[in-house]
């Protein structure tokens, strides 16, 4: 799993200003990768040649280029994409189980935007597949699945008399007694099932708090999913973003594949709401900034709490420089796509939510 600590190591290590960044779409399912020489290898050869022409006398770049080619020469992985970062004294390679928008290569400060987008778009999600008999806890991250635990309803271990063995009686009194026994049996089973959901909810809370997960998705029959959510603490229940009818019999990787579309749909809707919030703040003269000039000034002043960038970014300078500036200023970064990205582009191409109000005189901030 890639986390923010990996990112900060990339930008703070020695020789960080001499980093060769390589992003490759290595997915074997892509048509251009079906040839004997995959398309990504051909692209990389041409891209490295062009980059070398831009740095003809740079011996460090030439050494990094040769190291990269050697590392990839024997690559036989099955990942959908790869991200490589090489400096004179280090190398970090991330095999990504999710696709990238394009191949890319850069030299200088680390080019982080494609990796940050993948981390943001496919953030870690706890998926709880639950029914009345058992629960599975699966963390999905970048399309991969990790089993975090299970919980089984141990009702069968108890010596409950089956309700179909209760006496039905021959008279009104016996029928009343039989009905009372059945009611008591059902109440006991109901109480035990409620305790089961309470235990599952407690285990989910422990996983979320221990691992810092921000998003929960519930799978299984709707009745069981709703019953589980009712037993969750309010702070955990608010993190439930969707319920999907995922059956218990599918394996963990299939669970993630079935859950991912719902998680992404929620992610994109939240992006739209976030952008609308920040645009509203900026246009009301509150804690928001729109447009490159205003946002860059706020970054310099360390006013930015959250930098919002559209994806994909066509401007290489914007793509490479602003994320580094945000990380240096201690700001969080959110990449948005689809309708949210279109709105950001229409409002100046970049947006930010601020710690405190920005003065309105700066630059290209659109007016309401």
């Amino acid at each position: 799993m890639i986390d923010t600590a990996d990112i900060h190591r990339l930008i703070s290590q020695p020789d960080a200003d001499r980093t060769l960044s390589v992003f490759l779409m290595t997915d074997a399912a892509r048509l251009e990768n079906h040839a004997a020489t995959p398309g990504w290898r051909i692209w990389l050869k041409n891209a490295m040649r062009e980059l070398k022409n831009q740095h003809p006398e740079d011996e460090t770049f030439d050494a990094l280029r040769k190291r990269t080619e050697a590392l990839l020469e024997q690559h036989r992985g099955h990942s959908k994409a790869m991200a490589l970062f090489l400096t004179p004294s280090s190398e970090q390679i991330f095999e990504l189980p999710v696709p990238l928008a394009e191949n890319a290569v850069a030299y200088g400060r680390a080019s982080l935007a494609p990796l940050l987008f993948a981390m943001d778009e496919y953030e870690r999600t706890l998926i709880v597949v639950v029914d009345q008999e058992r629960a599975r806890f699966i963390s999905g991250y970048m399309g991969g699945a990790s089993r975090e635990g299970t919980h089984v309803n141990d009702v069968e271990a108890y010596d409950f008399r089956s309700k179909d063995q209760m006496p039905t009686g021959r008279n009104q009194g016996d029928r009343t007694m039989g009905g009372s026994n059945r009611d008591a049996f059902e109440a006991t089973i109901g109480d035990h099932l409620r305790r089961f959901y309470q235990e599952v909810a407690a285990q989910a809370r422990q996983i979320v708090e221990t691992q810092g997960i921000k998003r929960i998705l519930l799978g299984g029959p709707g009745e069981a999913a709703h019953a589980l959510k009712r037993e969750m603490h309010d702070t955990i229940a608010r993190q439930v973003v969707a319920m999907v009818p995922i059956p218990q019999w599918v394996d963990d990787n299939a669970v993630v594949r079935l859950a991912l579309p719902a998680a992404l749909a929620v992610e994109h809707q939240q992006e739209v709401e976030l952008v609308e919030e920040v645009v509203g703040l900026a246009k009301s003269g509150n804690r928001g900034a729109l447009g490159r000039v205003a946002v860059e000034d706020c970054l310099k002043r360390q006013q930015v709490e959250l930098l919002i960038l559209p994806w994909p970014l066509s401007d290489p300078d914007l793509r490479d420089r602003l994320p580094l500036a945000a990380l240096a200023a201690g700001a969080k970064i959110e990449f948005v796509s689809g309708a949210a990205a279109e709105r950001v582009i229409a409002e100046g191409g970049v947006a930010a939510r601020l710690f405190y109000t920005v003065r309105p005189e700066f630059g290209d901030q659109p007016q309401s």
Side-chain angles (χ1 to χ4, degrees):
M1 176 175 156
I2 310 167
D3 57 27
T4 53
D6 295 312
I7 301 301
H8 283 287
R9 277 195 294 271
L10 283 173
I11 63 177
S12 61
Q13 62 185 322
D15 296 318
D17 58 342
R18 292 187 290 172
T19 300
L20 179 60
S21 307
V22 181
F23 298 92
L24 300 170
M25 298 187 292
T26 56
D27 188 357
R30 296 181 64 87
L31 184 61
E32 62 267 31
N33 293 333
H34 288 182
T37 301
W40 64 266
R41 290 189 182 276
I42 297 171
W43 180 90
L44 180 63
K45 182 178 180 179
N46 294 332
M48 285 295 197
R49 184 185 301 115
E50 293 178 9
L51 201 55
K52 183 178 181 179
N53 291 336
Q54 298 173 26
H55 304 277
E57 305 299 327
D58 193 321
E59 295 181 359
T60 298
F61 167 76
D62 201 45
L64 294 176
R65 176 184 63 81
K66 292 176 181 177
R67 278 173 55 198
T68 301
E69 292 173 351
L71 284 169
L72 292 171
E73 184 62 34
Q74 303 301 320
H75 173 71
R76 297 294 183 269
H78 302 287
S79 58
K80 291 184 180 294
M82 291 185 68
L84 299 88
F85 301 91
L86 284 80
T87 72
S89 58
S90 70
E91 57 192 48
Q92 293 196 47
I93 303 173
F94 302 106
E95 296 207 21
L96 308 178
V98 294
L100 293 172
E102 60 182 2
N103 296 310
V105 62
Y107 176 61
R109 297 288 292 173
S111 177
L112 297 173
L115 184 59
L116 292 172
F117 171 75
M119 292 170 63
D120 186 33
E121 181 80 345
Y122 302 97
E123 69 175 294
R124 198 169 189 188
T125 302
L126 178 64
I127 307 165
V128 186
V129 184
V130 63
D131 56 22
Q132 293 188 0
E133 297 179 358
R134 66 189 182 110
R136 273 187 294 165
F137 303 88
I138 302 161
S139 64
Y141 179 66
M142 286 198 177
S146 299
R147 177 70 68 89
E148 302 296 342
T150 59
H151 194 83
V152 178
N153 187 348
D154 59 355
V155 66
E156 296 298 331
Y158 287 78
D159 187 20
F160 293 135
R161 294 179 62 193
S162 174
K163 65 181 180 180
D164 60 7
Q165 296 176 341
M166 294 295 182
T168 57
R170 298 180 181 176
N171 54 47
Q172 184 64 36
D174 287 337
R175 283 196 298 272
T176 301
M177 180 61 71
S180 177
N181 286 339
R182 284 193 297 274
D183 291 345
F185 172 83
E186 290 170 0
T188 302
I189 291 295
D191 288 343
H192 190 85
L193 186 58
R194 191 174 303 111
R195 285 196 297 273
F196 166 69
Y197 289 132
Q198 289 170 351
E199 291 165 358
V200 173
Q203 191 168 343
R205 181 178 184 178
Q206 182 181 25
I207 294 170
V208 164
E209 292 179 347
T210 300
Q211 302 191 16
I213 296 174
K214 304 298 183 184
R215 189 166 67 184
I216 304 171
L217 191 144
L218 303 183
E223 181 181 358
H226 283 285
L228 173 58
K229 187 176 180 181
R230 285 195 296 270
E231 300 301 333
M232 287 179 162
H233 189 277
D234 287 347
T235 57
I236 304 301
R238 283 195 291 269
Q239 293 177 232
V240 175
V241 299
M243 297 182 185
V244 180
I246 302 172
Q248 282 283 15
W249 55 263
V250 302
D251 65 32
D252 292 356
N253 287 318
V255 166
V256 173
R257 288 195 299 272
L258 291 169
L260 190 57
L264 289 179
V266 171
E267 171 78 12
H268 295 160
Q269 179 57 39
Q270 290 175 341
E271 289 174 356
V272 170
E273 294 169 1
L274 172 64
V275 170
E276 291 299 327
E277 174 200 356
V278 173
V279 169
L281 288 172
K283 292 191 173 185
S284 65
N286 211 315
R287 294 187 307 108
L290 300 173
R292 185 167 178 170
V293 173
V295 169
E296 290 200 65
D297 184 81
C298 292
L299 282 169
K300 291 175 184 176
R301 297 169 180 267
Q302 296 191 330
Q303 290 175 281
V304 176
E305 173 212 346
L306 177 68
L307 175 68
I308 302 175
L309 295 170
W311 188 261
L313 276 165
S314 57
D315 183 341
D317 178 62
L318 200 67
R319 181 189 63 213
D320 294 336
R321 191 165 53 81
L322 280 189
L324 289 171
L327 290 169
K332 294 177 290 186
I333 303 171
E334 179 80 21
F335 285 94
V336 299
S337 56
E342 292 173 4
R343 185 67 195 277
V344 172
I345 292 170
E347 296 291 348
V350 59
R353 188 170 63 200
L354 310 178
F355 287 113
Y356 54 91
T357 304
V358 60
R359 297 199 303 274
E361 63 265 24
F362 292 110
D364 57 346
Q365 183 161 290
Q367 301 298 311
S368 56

